[in-house]
Amino acid sequence: MKHFIAITALSLSALSAQAKDIVDTAVAAGNFKTLATALQAAGLIDTLKGKGPFTVFAPTDEAFAKVPKADLDALLKDKAKLTAVLTYHVVPGKVMAKDVKAGKVKTVQGSELTIGTMGGVTVDQAKVTATDIAADNGVIHVIDSVIMPK
């Protein structure tokens, strides 16, 4: 009986130690509440919980706070535009910080964003403030501004 209980306890701890997907990882971090709300409004939760892999340049709540409230409210009500903005923050594949190279990168949205590496990494005009937040279906790099497709 003791042996069975020990195996059961090990099995449960192994399950709880599993990595989380991109959405769960972002929500657990606590500073992506606006991003989570936007993903929900755009209907992208299931996509970013999918197989991936994805590289997400995730704006923090402070980054979303830089967007004028009226503009952000309008964006949250326009599902097509919101989806375009959010998918512009996502690159197919799992690109870790050590693999980042300056240049153009195609996004899930279809446009290209510009990666810069001089004086720190930038994505368009946003600064990358934290890197390599691993999820089981990709990676999150934190940015300090919301980037808009051209």
Side-chain angles (χ1 to χ4, degrees):
M1 185 68 174
K2 285 182 183 178
H3 186 64
F4 175 74
I5 292 171
I7 290 172
T8 303
L10 285 173
S11 299
L12 289 174
S13 65
L15 282 175
S16 64
Q18 286 181 334
K20 298 176 181 174
D21 60 50
I22 297 259
V23 175
D24 291 341
T25 301
V27 168
N31 58 340
F32 299 105
K33 291 178 183 73
T34 308
L35 177 60
T37 298
L39 290 170
Q40 182 76 38
L44 292 173
I45 297 285
D46 288 342
T47 301
L48 288 179
K49 282 181 162 289
K51 185 176 178 181
F54 306 105
T55 297
V56 177
F57 296 102
T60 60
D61 292 333
E62 292 80 23
F64 274 102
K66 293 179 184 178
V67 177
K69 183 170 175 17
D71 294 350
L72 183 58
D73 289 346
L75 184 62
L76 289 170
K77 291 177 183 162
D78 184 340
K79 187 175 180 177
K81 188 172 182 183
L82 180 60
T83 299
V85 168
L86 293 172
T87 56
Y88 186 67
H89 288 77
V90 181
V91 175
K94 185 175 185 177
V95 183
M96 302 305 283
K98 67 180 176 50
D99 302 319
V100 170
K101 293 176 180 44
K104 302 274 186 191
V105 179
K106 190 160 182 110
T107 67
V108 169
Q109 182 261 351
S111 299
E112 291 182 330
L113 49 81
T114 303
I115 305 291
T117 56
M118 298 292 286
V121 177
T122 57
V123 180
D124 284 352
Q125 300 304 311
K127 286 182 175 58
V128 176
T129 59
T131 61
D132 294 347
I133 301 169
D136 63 2
N137 63 343
V139 63
I140 299 170
H141 301 296
V142 181
I143 57 176
D144 69 351
S145 301
V146 177
I147 51 177
M148 299 291 184
K150 294 161 190 76

